[in-house]
Amino acid sequence: MELVVNNDETTNAGMIAAPVRAGRLNAADFDSAELRAGPTLGQGLYLIVSGPKPKPGANIILLPIVGDTQADYQQIELTWEARAANDHDVSMGSGGSTGAERYEKSMPLSGLSGTKGIELVGANGTKKFNLTGH
């Protein structure tokens, strides 16, 4: 059984994470990932990720992976889930438009760093962020 937590724009520091699982079937692509300071002074860093939605209406999730507590880089997986059972009906409704839906998700990094930083894991690759200088 897999535990999935939806980390929308607001996430508590005591969040639950999913057990380690390599090669997620519902991994999502990203084309941009960066760190930004929180919107208010003292909120720390946020991971901001954006890219194309894998299908119309998909819910994109940033998911910290539980594992080695002494890892150099804490892994955060980029996954997706369907919002409703009838999402396949929606995919035909754009009138043949070639414009794909896009997403942007953010997650506070307070308490989520490995000894060196974090590693975003998506369907199209990984990106490491070194946090030791912050």
Side-chain angles (χ1 to χ4, degrees):
M1 183 172 164
E2 181 177 321
L3 176 63
V4 177
V5 177
N6 185 354
N7 294 312
D8 289 324
E9 282 66 32
T10 57
T11 306
N12 295 328
M15 73 182 76
I16 302 171
V20 173
R21 178 180 171 199
R24 224 174 261 282
L25 291 177
N26 59 338
D29 288 339
F30 65 94
D31 54 22
S32 173
E34 63 183 351
L35 300 180
R36 292 185 198 159
T40 352
L41 185 62
Q43 282 191 321
L45 290 175
Y46 279 68
L47 172 64
I48 312 292
V49 183
S50 63
K53 284 191 175 184
K55 66 184 267 183
N59 183 33
I60 305 298
I61 303 166
L62 289 168
L63 189 65
I65 302 303
V66 174
D68 182 3
T69 58
Q70 299 300 315
D72 288 343
Y73 292 89
Q74 167 68 51
Q75 288 190 332
I76 299 174
E77 284 191 350
L78 183 62
T79 65
W80 67 278
E81 65 184 7
R83 290 191 180 207
N86 64 351
D87 274 348
H88 63 279
D89 297 334
V90 176
S91 64
M92 305 299 277
S94 63
S97 171
T98 57
E101 280 189 62
R102 298 193 49 80
Y103 70 86
E104 182 174 280
K105 286 302 234 183
S106 65
M107 167 187 260
L109 295 179
S110 177
L112 286 180
S113 178
T115 58
K116 292 183 180 179
I118 63 164
E119 179 179 21
L120 176 65
V121 179
N124 60 335
T126 66
K127 184 171 183 178
K128 288 184 178 179
F129 294 91
N130 190 341
L131 301 176
T132 58
H134 293 346

